[in-house]
Coordinates of all heavy atoms in Angstrom, one line a residue:
V30 N 69.2 97.5 169.0 CA 69.4 96.3 169.8 C 70.6 96.5 170.7 O 70.5 96.2 171.9 CB 69.5 95.0 168.9 CG1 69.9 93.9 169.8 CG2 68.2 94.8 168.2
D31 N 71.7 97.0 170.1 CA 72.9 97.2 170.9 C 72.7 98.2 172.1 O 73.1 98.0 173.2 CB 74.1 97.8 170.0 CG 74.5 96.7 169.0 OD1 74.3 95.5 169.2 OD2 75.1 97.2 168.0
E32 N 72.0 99.3 171.8 CA 71.7 100.3 172.8 C 70.8 99.7 173.9 O 71.0 99.9 175.1 CB 71.0 101.5 172.2 CG 72.0 102.3 171.3 CD 73.1 103.0 172.1 OE1 72.8 103.4 173.2 OE2 74.2 103.2 171.5
L33 N 69.8 99.0 173.5 CA 68.9 98.4 174.5 C 69.6 97.3 175.3 O 69.3 97.2 176.5 CB 67.6 97.8 173.8 CG 66.7 98.7 173.2 CD1 65.6 98.0 172.3 CD2 66.0 99.6 174.2
S34 N 70.5 96.6 174.7 CA 71.2 95.5 175.4 C 72.1 96.2 176.5 O 72.2 95.7 177.6 CB 72.1 94.7 174.4 OG 71.3 94.0 173.6
A35 N 72.8 97.3 176.1 CA 73.7 97.9 177.0 C 72.9 98.5 178.2 O 73.3 98.4 179.4 CB 74.4 99.1 176.3
Y36 N 71.7 99.0 177.9 CA 70.9 99.6 179.0 C 70.3 98.5 179.9 O 70.4 98.5 181.1 CB 69.7 100.4 178.4 CG 68.8 101.0 179.5 CD1 69.3 102.2 180.1 CD2 67.6 100.5 179.9 CE1 68.5 102.8 181.1 CE2 66.9 101.1 180.8 CZ 67.3 102.2 181.4 OH 66.5 102.8 182.4
A37 N 69.7 97.4 179.3 CA 69.1 96.3 180.1 C 70.2 95.6 180.9 O 69.9 95.1 181.9 CB 68.4 95.4 179.1
G38 N 71.4 95.5 180.3 CA 72.4 94.7 181.0 C 73.2 95.4 182.1 O 73.9 94.8 182.8
A39 N 73.0 96.7 182.1 CA 73.7 97.5 183.1 C 73.2 97.2 184.5 O 72.0 97.2 184.8 CB 73.5 99.0 182.8
R40 N 74.1 97.0 185.5 CA 73.7 96.7 186.8 C 73.4 98.0 187.6 O 72.6 98.0 188.5 CB 74.9 96.1 187.6 CG 75.2 94.7 187.0 CD 74.2 93.7 187.3 NE 74.6 92.4 186.7 CZ 73.8 91.4 186.7 NH1 72.6 91.5 187.2 NH2 74.2 90.3 186.1
V41 N 74.0 99.1 187.2 CA 73.8 100.4 187.8 C 73.5 101.4 186.7 O 74.2 101.5 185.8 CB 75.0 100.9 188.6 CG1 74.7 102.3 189.2 CG2 75.3 100.0 189.7
R42 N 72.3 102.1 186.8 CA 71.9 103.1 185.8 C 72.0 104.5 186.4 O 71.2 104.8 187.3 CB 70.5 102.7 185.3 CG 70.5 101.4 184.6 CD 69.1 101.1 184.2 NE 69.0 99.7 183.7 CZ 68.0 98.9 183.8 NH1 66.9 99.3 184.4 NH2 68.1 97.7 183.3
E43 N 72.9 105.3 185.9 CA 73.0 106.6 186.5 C 72.2 107.6 185.7 O 72.1 107.5 184.5 CB 74.5 107.0 186.4 CG 75.4 106.1 187.3 CD 76.8 106.5 187.2 OE1 77.1 107.5 186.6 OE2 77.6 105.8 187.8
R44 N 71.6 108.6 186.4 CA 70.8 109.6 185.7 C 71.5 110.8 185.3 O 71.0 111.6 184.5 CB 69.6 109.9 186.7 CG 68.7 108.8 186.9 CD 67.6 109.3 187.8 NE 66.7 108.2 188.1 CZ 65.4 108.3 187.9 NH1 64.8 109.5 187.6 NH2 64.6 107.3 188.2
G45 N 72.7 111.1 185.9 CA 73.4 112.4 185.6 C 73.8 112.5 184.2 O 74.2 111.5 183.5
G46 N 73.8 113.7 183.6 CA 74.4 114.0 182.3 C 73.6 113.3 181.2 O 74.2 112.7 180.3
V47 N 72.3 113.3 181.2 CA 71.5 112.7 180.2 C 71.7 113.4 178.8 O 71.6 114.6 178.7 CB 70.0 112.7 180.6 CG1 69.2 112.1 179.5 CG2 69.8 111.9 181.9
Q48 N 72.0 112.6 177.8 CA 72.2 113.2 176.5 C 70.8 113.1 175.8 O 70.0 112.2 176.0 CB 73.2 112.4 175.7 CG 74.6 112.4 176.3 CD 75.5 111.4 175.7 OE1 75.1 110.6 174.8 NE2 76.8 111.5 176.0
P49 N 70.6 114.0 174.8 CA 69.3 114.0 174.1 C 69.0 112.7 173.4 O 67.9 112.2 173.3 CB 69.4 115.1 173.1 CG 70.5 116.0 173.6 CD 71.4 115.1 174.4
T50 N 70.1 112.0 172.9 CA 69.9 110.7 172.2 C 69.5 109.6 173.2 O 69.1 108.5 172.8 CB 71.1 110.3 171.4 OG1 72.2 110.2 172.3 CG2 71.3 111.3 170.3
R51 N 69.7 109.8 174.4 CA 69.4 108.8 175.5 C 68.0 108.9 176.0 O 67.6 108.3 177.0 CB 70.4 108.9 176.6 CG 71.9 108.7 176.2 CD 72.2 107.3 175.9 NE 73.6 107.2 175.6 CZ 74.1 106.1 175.1 NH1 73.3 105.1 174.9 NH2 75.4 106.0 174.8
A52 N 67.2 109.8 175.5 CA 65.9 110.1 176.0 C 65.0 108.9 175.8 O 64.0 108.8 176.5 CB 65.3 111.3 175.3
M53 N 65.3 108.0 175.0 CA 64.4 106.8 174.7 C 64.4 105.9 176.0 O 63.4 105.2 176.2 CB 64.9 106.0 173.5 CG 66.1 105.2 173.7 SD 66.4 104.2 172.3 CE 68.1 103.6 172.6
F54 N 65.5 105.9 176.8 CA 65.5 105.0 177.9 C 64.4 105.4 179.0 O 63.9 104.6 179.7 CB 66.9 105.0 178.5 CG 67.9 104.4 177.6 CD1 69.0 105.1 177.3 CD2 67.7 103.2 176.9 CE1 70.0 104.6 176.4 CE2 68.6 102.7 176.0 CZ 69.8 103.5 175.8
A55 N 64.2 106.7 179.1 CA 63.1 107.2 180.0 C 61.8 106.7 179.6 O 60.9 106.6 180.4 CB 63.2 108.7 180.2
R56 N 61.6 106.5 178.3 CA 60.3 106.1 177.8 C 60.1 104.6 177.6 O 59.0 104.2 177.1 CB 60.1 106.8 176.4 CG 60.0 108.3 176.5 CD 59.8 108.9 175.1 NE 59.7 110.3 175.2 CZ 60.7 111.1 174.9 NH1 61.9 110.7 174.5 NH2 60.5 112.4 175.0
L57 N 61.1 103.8 178.0 CA 60.9 102.4 177.9 C 59.9 101.9 178.9 O 59.7 102.5 179.9 CB 62.2 101.7 178.2 CG 63.3 101.8 177.2 CD1 64.6 101.1 177.7 CD2 62.9 101.2 175.9
P58 N 59.1 100.8 178.5 CA 58.1 100.3 179.4 C 58.8 99.8 180.7 O 59.9 99.3 180.7 CB 57.5 99.2 178.6 CG 58.3 98.9 177.5 CD 59.2 100.1 177.2
V59 N 58.0 99.8 181.8 CA 58.5 99.4 183.1 C 59.0 97.9 183.1 O 60.0 97.6 183.7 CB 57.5 99.6 184.2 CG1 57.9 99.1 185.5 CG2 57.2 101.1 184.3
W60 N 58.3 97.1 182.4 CA 58.7 95.7 182.3 C 60.1 95.4 181.8 O 60.8 94.5 182.2 CB 57.6 94.8 181.6 CG 57.5 95.1 180.2 CD1 56.6 95.9 179.6 CD2 58.2 94.4 179.1 NE1 56.8 95.9 178.2 CE2 57.8 95.0 177.9 CE3 59.3 93.5 179.1 CZ2 58.3 94.6 176.7 CZ3 59.8 93.1 177.8 CH2 59.3 93.7 176.6
M61 N 60.5 96.3 180.9 CA 61.9 96.2 180.3 C 62.9 96.6 181.3 O 64.1 96.2 181.3 CB 62.0 97.0 179.1 CG 61.4 96.3 177.9 SD 61.7 97.3 176.3 CE 63.4 96.9 176.1

């Protein structure tokens, strides 16, 4: 929940330096 909140609440989402544990964000549904 904390990770999803941080991602959803971010105003700017940068793509550089993707960590392996952050791969879930690329797979989130578009509506989120």
Side-chain angles (χ1 to χ4, degrees):
V30 171
D31 293 339
E32 294 290 328
L33 291 172
S34 294
Y36 182 80
R40 298 286 179 189
V41 177
R42 297 178 186 145
E43 298 178 5
R44 292 181 181 229
V47 176
Q48 299 171 351
T50 58
R51 303 280 183 194
M53 73 173 168
F54 299 127
R56 295 182 179 101
L57 287 176
V59 175
W60 65 267
M61 284 183 72

